[in-house]
Amino acid sequence: MELRVLKYFLMVAREENITKAAQLLHITQPTLSRQLMLLEEELGTRLFLRGRHNITLTDDGLLLKRRAQEIVGLVNKTEQEFSQQAKALNGEIMIGCGETCNMALLADWMTSFREKHPLVQYNIYSATAEDVKERLESGLLDIGLLMEPVEFDRYDFLRMPYRERWGILTRYDSPLAEKQQIRPADLLEVPLIISRREQVQHELAAWFGSTYEHLQIAATFNLFVNAAIMVKHYVGTALILDLGTTLYDSLRFIPLTPQLENGAVLVWKKNLVSSRVVSAFINHIRQYPIENTSLNC
């Protein structure tokens, strides 16, 4: 399987039309069709469903699309690392981030590092801890900012200073909006929107205790912005972290009691030979004492 053919495949998958893809690739349509047929023969499966005016991916085609994107992305990243100039530090740092106020401190580090090395560029990928870890393992990310709970025995890490508190996000016209704190019993008859992360659900289950089995789960989420939108549109009340964002302005955040908090860690793979720019960035952040850092999210 050649990298060139994978790029052909991705172009066709994007355009859903062989003729248009061939034009963009600057090759003839018969040549492109033949390359796709050979790829299907090599893999022993159909990748496309061909219609009169467009083509769609089969299930195997969707799987190959995901893998091809990862492979091409990793190749591009490797080429960028080796194309760095010998003297001036430059290149791209791939960082995966969860939703946390600790991003403010990471952003300060990014700013101070780029003041020293203005040719450096950051590529930020926002996702859950599991998604970020998967990309760290595959080499598509250099560094991850992960919300706990998370297992990081395979990583070197730096514990971040800010801990976010859990609470509910609800509409102002909800009876819950009159409360100053939320106890487990307050949520028994309420449609809830909770994180899809299994480890987070385990922490919430421990907080709820025996009442957890009787909760009404209306929806799950992986990004807080989607949870807030669902709250605004009456899907339910969200169990969420207090990020202090304007996203919550039209909604009421109420903390849980007993208090429940989560921290965050900045991680990178152990024993990994990183590029010059990534190694320099890690050394840069290690120079800053953060134990008593105060953040405004």
Side-chain angles (χ1 to χ4, degrees):
M1 196 186 318
E2 297 182 27
L3 180 64
R4 170 180 54 85
V5 177
L6 287 180
K7 291 180 178 180
Y8 289 174
F9 167 79
L10 288 175
M11 181 65 76
V12 174
R14 189 189 77 179
E15 298 300 326
E16 298 183 347
N17 184 284
I18 293 180
T19 301
K20 186 174 181 181
Q23 292 173 348
L24 293 172
L25 292 167
H26 305 292
I27 60 176
T28 64
Q29 186 270 335
T31 298
L32 180 56
S33 296
R34 184 168 58 255
Q35 292 291 338
L36 296 178
M37 291 176 60
L38 291 173
L39 180 60
E40 288 181 318
E41 290 179 6
E42 181 180 357
L43 296 175
T45 187
R46 291 187 65 184
L47 300 173
F48 299 100
L49 296 175
R50 293 165 173 82
R52 293 184 60 185
H53 302 292
N54 68 324
I55 61 174
T56 56
L57 294 176
T58 63
D59 288 344
D60 285 340
L62 290 170
L63 175 60
L64 180 62
K65 179 182 177 182
R66 179 182 176 185
R67 297 300 182 223
Q69 288 173 332
E70 293 176 350
I71 292 169
V72 172
L74 188 56
V75 169
N76 290 340
K77 182 175 180 294
T78 303
E79 290 175 346
Q80 289 174 0
E81 290 172 350
F82 277 94
S83 66
Q84 294 176 10
Q85 298 177 11
K87 295 182 180 180
L89 190 64
N90 68 71
E92 189 174 55
I93 302 175
M94 311 286 286
I95 306 175
C97 301
E99 294 171 298
T100 167
C101 287
N102 287 286
M103 183 64 194
L105 178 56
L106 178 57
D108 287 343
W109 288 336
M110 293 163 62
T111 299
S112 58
F113 186 70
R114 201 167 184 276
E115 287 174 352
K116 297 179 180 179
H117 309 288
L119 297 180
V120 170
Q121 181 179 354
Y122 304 103
N123 191 321
I124 303 300
Y125 174 79
S126 298
T128 63
E130 284 76 14
D131 292 334
V132 171
K133 284 176 64 178
E134 181 179 341
R135 286 180 169 253
L136 282 168
E137 290 298 322
S138 64
L140 295 173
L141 293 175
D142 301 305
I143 298 170
L145 178 58
L146 307 179
M147 287 298 300
E148 295 182 298
V150 62
E151 296 179 4
F152 43 81
D153 56 326
R154 294 170 56 87
Y155 304 99
D156 288 322
F157 68 94
L158 181 67
R159 192 170 297 280
M160 303 297 280
Y162 191 82
R163 295 182 62 83
E164 275 101 7
R165 62 178 179 169
W166 282 90
I168 66 163
L169 197 62
T170 193
R171 293 177 55 88
Y172 277 98
D173 56 7
S174 166
L176 292 172
E178 300 177 3
K179 296 182 177 294
Q180 298 304 311
Q181 294 179 318
I182 297 296
R183 300 181 181 276
D186 297 329
L187 302 176
L188 275 177
E189 303 298 327
V190 179
L192 295 177
I193 305 167
I194 68 172
S195 170
R196 61 180 287 188
R197 287 189 62 198
E198 186 175 348
Q199 290 174 304
V200 171
Q201 291 181 14
H202 290 165
E203 284 208 343
L204 292 174
W207 181 81
F208 275 102
S210 60
T211 61
Y212 187 76
E213 298 179 358
H214 305 287
L215 298 180
Q216 299 180 30
I217 307 300
T220 61
F221 66 88
N222 65 340
L223 294 176
F224 295 139
V225 62
N226 292 332
I229 291 172
M230 286 190 284
V231 173
K232 291 178 182 179
H233 289 266
Y234 298 93
V235 175
T237 291
L239 280 157
I240 204 165
L241 290 173
D242 182 10
L243 298 182
T245 68
T246 55
L247 173 70
Y248 300 169
D249 282 352
S250 61
L251 301 171
R252 175 88 194 280
F253 177 87
I254 311 172
L256 302 182
T257 185
Q259 185 170 278
L260 181 63
E261 292 184 334
N262 276 112
V265 288
L266 194 70
V267 305
W268 53 95
K269 289 187 69 174
K270 286 182 178 178
N271 305 318
L272 179 68
V273 179
S274 301
S275 65
R276 286 177 60 240
V277 65
V278 173
S279 296
F281 181 72
I282 292 173
N283 290 333
H284 176 77
I285 64 177
R286 279 175 159 163
Q287 297 173 9
Y288 288 81
I290 63 174
E291 289 80 3
N292 300 315
T293 303
S294 177
L295 295 179
N296 291 319
C297 189

